[in-house]
Short mmCIF file of all heavy atoms in Angstrom, two decimals:
data_model
loop_
_atom_site.label_atom_id
_atom_site.label_comp_id
_atom_site.label_asym_id
_atom_site.label_seq_id
_atom_site.Cartn_x
_atom_site.Cartn_y
_atom_site.Cartn_z
N PHE T 308 -4.03 10.15 7.02
CA PHE T 308 -3.47 9.01 7.69
C PHE T 308 -3.27 9.19 9.26
O PHE T 308 -3.61 8.39 10.05
CB PHE T 308 -2.04 8.75 7.08
CG PHE T 308 -1.23 7.69 7.82
CD1 PHE T 308 -1.60 6.43 7.99
CD2 PHE T 308 -0.03 8.07 8.39
CE1 PHE T 308 -0.95 5.46 8.63
CE2 PHE T 308 0.70 7.11 9.09
CZ PHE T 308 0.31 5.81 9.21
N LEU T 309 -2.87 10.38 9.64
CA LEU T 309 -2.68 10.73 10.96
C LEU T 309 -4.05 10.65 11.69
O LEU T 309 -4.12 10.17 12.82
CB LEU T 309 -2.11 12.10 11.15
CG LEU T 309 -0.54 12.15 10.86
CD1 LEU T 309 -0.04 13.55 10.63
CD2 LEU T 309 0.25 11.46 12.01
N LYS T 310 -5.06 11.19 11.06
CA LYS T 310 -6.40 11.04 11.72
C LYS T 310 -6.88 9.58 11.83
O LYS T 310 -7.37 9.19 12.91
CB LYS T 310 -7.35 11.84 10.81
CG LYS T 310 -8.84 11.85 11.37
CD LYS T 310 -9.66 12.78 10.45
CE LYS T 310 -11.17 12.91 11.00
NZ LYS T 310 -11.88 11.49 10.83
N ARG T 311 -6.66 8.78 10.70
CA ARG T 311 -7.09 7.43 10.77
C ARG T 311 -6.32 6.56 11.74
O ARG T 311 -6.97 5.78 12.52
CB ARG T 311 -6.88 6.83 9.34
CG ARG T 311 -7.26 5.38 9.28
CD ARG T 311 -8.64 5.03 9.57
NE ARG T 311 -9.54 5.80 8.79
CZ ARG T 311 -10.96 5.88 9.09
NH1 ARG T 311 -11.43 5.27 10.21
NH2 ARG T 311 -11.70 6.55 8.36
N ILE T 312 -5.00 6.76 11.87
CA ILE T 312 -4.21 5.97 12.78
C ILE T 312 -4.64 6.31 14.23
O ILE T 312 -4.65 5.49 15.12
CB ILE T 312 -2.69 6.07 12.54
CG1 ILE T 312 -1.93 5.11 13.30
CG2 ILE T 312 -2.17 7.49 12.98
CD1 ILE T 312 -2.13 3.66 12.72
N GLY T 313 -5.03 7.52 14.52
CA GLY T 313 -5.44 7.85 15.81
C GLY T 313 -6.71 7.20 16.09
O GLY T 313 -6.94 6.72 17.28
N GLU T 314 -7.63 7.20 15.16
CA GLU T 314 -8.95 6.38 15.33
C GLU T 314 -8.77 4.93 15.54
O GLU T 314 -9.47 4.31 16.36
CB GLU T 314 -9.80 6.78 14.17
CG GLU T 314 -10.27 8.32 14.10
CD GLU T 314 -10.98 8.50 12.72
OE1 GLU T 314 -10.94 7.62 11.87
OE2 GLU T 314 -11.57 9.66 12.62
N ILE T 315 -7.87 4.42 14.79
CA ILE T 315 -7.67 2.98 14.97
C ILE T 315 -7.03 2.62 16.38
O ILE T 315 -7.57 1.70 17.10
CB ILE T 315 -6.57 2.44 13.91
CG1 ILE T 315 -7.24 2.55 12.52
CG2 ILE T 315 -6.08 1.05 14.22
CD1 ILE T 315 -6.19 2.37 11.41
N LEU T 316 -6.10 3.42 16.88
CA LEU T 316 -5.61 3.33 18.23
C LEU T 316 -6.56 3.56 19.32
O LEU T 316 -6.34 3.13 20.44
CB LEU T 316 -4.30 4.01 18.34
CG LEU T 316 -3.11 3.49 17.43
CD1 LEU T 316 -1.96 4.49 17.58
CD2 LEU T 316 -2.76 2.07 17.70
N GLU T 317 -7.57 4.36 19.05
CA GLU T 317 -8.61 4.55 20.07
C GLU T 317 -9.49 3.32 20.21
O GLU T 317 -9.99 3.05 21.29
CB GLU T 317 -9.48 5.80 19.63
CG GLU T 317 -8.92 7.07 19.87
CD GLU T 317 -9.73 8.24 19.52
OE1 GLU T 317 -10.92 7.93 19.11
OE2 GLU T 317 -9.29 9.38 19.59
N ALA T 318 -9.63 2.57 19.16
CA ALA T 318 -10.56 1.45 19.03
C ALA T 318 -9.78 0.09 19.39
O ALA T 318 -10.45 -0.84 19.71
CB ALA T 318 -11.16 1.29 17.62
N LYS T 319 -8.49 0.15 19.13
CA LYS T 319 -7.72 -1.14 19.36
C LYS T 319 -6.39 -0.96 20.17
O LYS T 319 -5.97 0.25 20.19
CB LYS T 319 -7.37 -1.71 17.99
CG LYS T 319 -8.54 -2.05 17.01
CD LYS T 319 -8.06 -2.41 15.62
CE LYS T 319 -7.19 -3.58 15.65
NZ LYS T 319 -6.75 -4.00 14.26
N SER T 320 -5.90 -2.07 20.63
CA SER T 320 -4.67 -1.85 21.42
C SER T 320 -3.37 -1.70 20.50
O SER T 320 -2.38 -1.12 20.97
CB SER T 320 -4.46 -3.11 22.34
OG SER T 320 -4.29 -4.23 21.32
N GLU T 321 -3.48 -2.17 19.20
CA GLU T 321 -2.33 -1.89 18.25
C GLU T 321 -2.85 -1.87 16.92
O GLU T 321 -3.97 -2.22 16.63
CB GLU T 321 -1.38 -3.08 18.46
CG GLU T 321 -1.80 -4.35 18.18
CD GLU T 321 -0.73 -5.43 18.24
OE1 GLU T 321 0.47 -5.03 18.41
OE2 GLU T 321 -1.00 -6.64 18.06
N ALA T 322 -1.91 -1.37 16.04
CA ALA T 322 -2.38 -1.26 14.60
C ALA T 322 -1.29 -1.91 13.64
O ALA T 322 -0.12 -1.88 14.12
CB ALA T 322 -2.61 0.21 14.20
N HIS T 323 -1.71 -2.47 12.60
CA HIS T 323 -0.83 -3.10 11.65
C HIS T 323 -0.92 -2.29 10.34
O HIS T 323 -2.03 -2.26 9.75
CB HIS T 323 -0.96 -4.53 11.44
CG HIS T 323 -0.67 -5.41 12.67
ND1 HIS T 323 0.61 -5.98 12.63
CD2 HIS T 323 -1.37 -5.79 13.63
CE1 HIS T 323 0.68 -6.62 13.80
NE2 HIS T 323 -0.46 -6.56 14.41
N ILE T 324 0.08 -1.59 9.94
CA ILE T 324 0.09 -0.74 8.65
C ILE T 324 1.02 -1.33 7.62
O ILE T 324 2.25 -1.70 8.01
CB ILE T 324 0.60 0.67 9.12
CG1 ILE T 324 -0.29 1.17 10.26
CG2 ILE T 324 0.39 1.53 7.79
CD1 ILE T 324 -1.80 1.35 9.88
N VAL T 325 0.63 -1.47 6.45
CA VAL T 325 1.43 -1.96 5.28
C VAL T 325 1.86 -0.61 4.50
O VAL T 325 0.97 0.06 4.03
CB VAL T 325 0.64 -2.95 4.40
CG1 VAL T 325 1.62 -3.40 3.26
CG2 VAL T 325 0.23 -4.13 5.29
N LEU T 326 3.14 -0.46 4.33
CA LEU T 326 3.72 0.63 3.60
C LEU T 326 4.14 0.27 2.19
O LEU T 326 4.28 -0.92 1.80
CB LEU T 326 4.94 1.18 4.33
CG LEU T 326 4.72 1.71 5.80
CD1 LEU T 326 6.09 2.17 6.38
CD2 LEU T 326 3.64 2.77 5.85
N THR T 327 4.28 1.34 1.37
CA THR T 327 4.76 1.19 0.04
C THR T 327 5.92 2.10 -0.23
O THR T 327 6.28 2.85 0.67
CB THR T 327 3.56 1.49 -1.05
OG1 THR T 327 3.99 1.21 -2.32
CG2 THR T 327 3.22 2.91 -0.99
N GLY T 328 6.52 1.85 -1.40
CA GLY T 328 7.62 2.70 -1.75
C GLY T 328 7.26 3.66 -2.85
O GLY T 328 6.10 4.09 -2.99
N GLY T 329 8.24 4.07 -3.71
CA GLY T 329 7.94 5.01 -4.71
C GLY T 329 7.92 6.47 -4.35
O GLY T 329 8.01 6.78 -3.12
N SER T 330 7.88 7.32 -5.33
CA SER T 330 8.01 8.79 -4.98
C SER T 330 6.83 9.27 -4.19
O SER T 330 7.06 10.01 -3.15
CB SER T 330 8.12 9.60 -6.38
OG SER T 330 7.02 9.34 -7.14
N MET T 331 5.61 8.90 -4.48
CA MET T 331 4.49 9.35 -3.69
C MET T 331 4.38 8.72 -2.31
O MET T 331 4.08 9.27 -1.38
CB MET T 331 3.22 9.13 -4.48
CG MET T 331 3.03 10.02 -5.67
SD MET T 331 3.22 11.81 -5.22
CE MET T 331 2.01 12.09 -3.83
N GLY T 332 4.79 7.38 -2.28
CA GLY T 332 4.85 6.77 -0.95
C GLY T 332 5.78 7.54 -0.02
O GLY T 332 5.43 7.78 1.18
N GLU T 333 6.92 7.83 -0.51
CA GLU T 333 7.93 8.54 0.32
C GLU T 333 7.44 9.93 0.55
O GLU T 333 7.61 10.47 1.73
CB GLU T 333 9.29 8.50 -0.42
CG GLU T 333 10.42 8.98 0.41
CD GLU T 333 11.79 8.90 -0.10
OE1 GLU T 333 11.84 8.42 -1.30
OE2 GLU T 333 12.74 9.23 0.53
N ALA T 334 6.87 10.52 -0.38
CA ALA T 334 6.38 12.03 -0.15
C ALA T 334 5.23 12.01 0.96
O ALA T 334 5.32 12.97 1.86
CB ALA T 334 5.81 12.53 -1.38
N VAL T 335 4.45 10.99 0.99
CA VAL T 335 3.39 11.03 2.03
C VAL T 335 4.05 10.82 3.43
O VAL T 335 3.71 11.58 4.38
CB VAL T 335 2.26 9.87 1.77
CG1 VAL T 335 1.48 9.66 3.02
CG2 VAL T 335 1.53 10.26 0.53
N LEU T 336 5.01 9.98 3.56
CA LEU T 336 5.66 9.63 4.82
C LEU T 336 6.46 10.88 5.27
O LEU T 336 6.42 11.17 6.49
CB LEU T 336 6.45 8.40 4.71
CG LEU T 336 5.76 7.18 4.51
CD1 LEU T 336 6.73 5.92 4.61
CD2 LEU T 336 4.64 6.83 5.51
N ALA T 337 7.10 11.50 4.34
CA ALA T 337 7.81 12.72 4.71
C ALA T 337 6.98 13.80 5.20
O ALA T 337 7.37 14.62 6.16
CB ALA T 337 8.67 13.23 3.53
N THR T 338 5.85 13.94 4.61
CA THR T 338 4.83 14.89 5.07
C THR T 338 4.27 14.62 6.41
O THR T 338 4.10 15.37 7.26
CB THR T 338 3.67 15.00 4.10
OG1 THR T 338 4.23 15.30 2.72
CG2 THR T 338 2.70 16.15 4.42
N VAL T 339 4.11 13.33 6.73
CA VAL T 339 3.63 12.84 8.05
C VAL T 339 4.70 13.29 9.02
O VAL T 339 4.38 13.75 10.18
CB VAL T 339 3.36 11.26 8.05
CG1 VAL T 339 3.22 10.93 9.48
CG2 VAL T 339 2.25 10.97 7.22
N ALA T 340 5.98 13.08 8.70
CA ALA T 340 7.14 13.31 9.61
C ALA T 340 7.14 14.81 10.00
O ALA T 340 7.54 15.17 11.19
CB ALA T 340 8.37 12.97 8.97
N ARG T 341 6.76 15.71 9.14
CA ARG T 341 6.84 17.15 9.42
C ARG T 341 5.49 17.66 10.15
O ARG T 341 5.52 18.81 10.49
CB ARG T 341 7.04 17.88 8.07
CG ARG T 341 8.29 17.67 7.38
CD ARG T 341 8.52 18.64 6.15
NE ARG T 341 7.49 18.46 5.13
CZ ARG T 341 7.51 17.73 4.14
NH1 ARG T 341 8.73 16.98 3.94
NH2 ARG T 341 6.64 17.65 3.15
N ALA T 342 4.41 16.85 10.17
CA ALA T 342 3.18 17.33 10.68
C ALA T 342 3.25 17.41 12.27
O ALA T 342 3.79 16.62 12.96
CB ALA T 342 2.12 16.37 10.25
N LYS T 343 2.66 18.38 12.83
CA LYS T 343 2.55 18.70 14.15
C LYS T 343 1.77 17.52 14.85
O LYS T 343 2.14 17.13 15.94
CB LYS T 343 2.01 19.96 14.51
CG LYS T 343 2.80 21.22 14.15
CD LYS T 343 2.10 22.46 14.49
CE LYS T 343 2.94 23.67 14.11
NZ LYS T 343 2.31 24.96 14.49
N ALA T 344 0.76 17.00 14.20
CA ALA T 344 -0.09 15.91 14.74
C ALA T 344 0.67 14.60 14.82
O ALA T 344 0.20 13.75 15.52
CB ALA T 344 -1.31 15.77 13.89
N ARG T 345 1.89 14.48 14.33
CA ARG T 345 2.57 13.30 14.40
C ARG T 345 2.81 12.83 15.73
O ARG T 345 2.79 11.69 16.12
CB ARG T 345 3.91 13.51 13.64
CG ARG T 345 4.73 12.17 13.59
CD ARG T 345 6.18 12.54 13.18
NE ARG T 345 6.94 12.92 14.42
CZ ARG T 345 8.30 12.98 14.33
NH1 ARG T 345 9.02 12.76 13.30
NH2 ARG T 345 9.00 13.35 15.47
#
Side-chain angles (χ1 to χ4, degrees):
F308 173 60
L309 286 166
K310 180 176 182 292
R311 175 61 57 193
I312 194 66
E314 292 169 349
I315 292 168
L316 292 175
E317 284 181 4
K319 301 172 60 177
S320 61
E321 64 176 352
H323 289 270
I324 306 297
V325 180
L326 300 177
T327 187
S330 59
M331 287 309 303
E333 187 171 4
V335 169
L336 295 185
T338 305
V339 170
R341 295 191 297 267
K343 292 181 179 179
R345 185 197 82 166

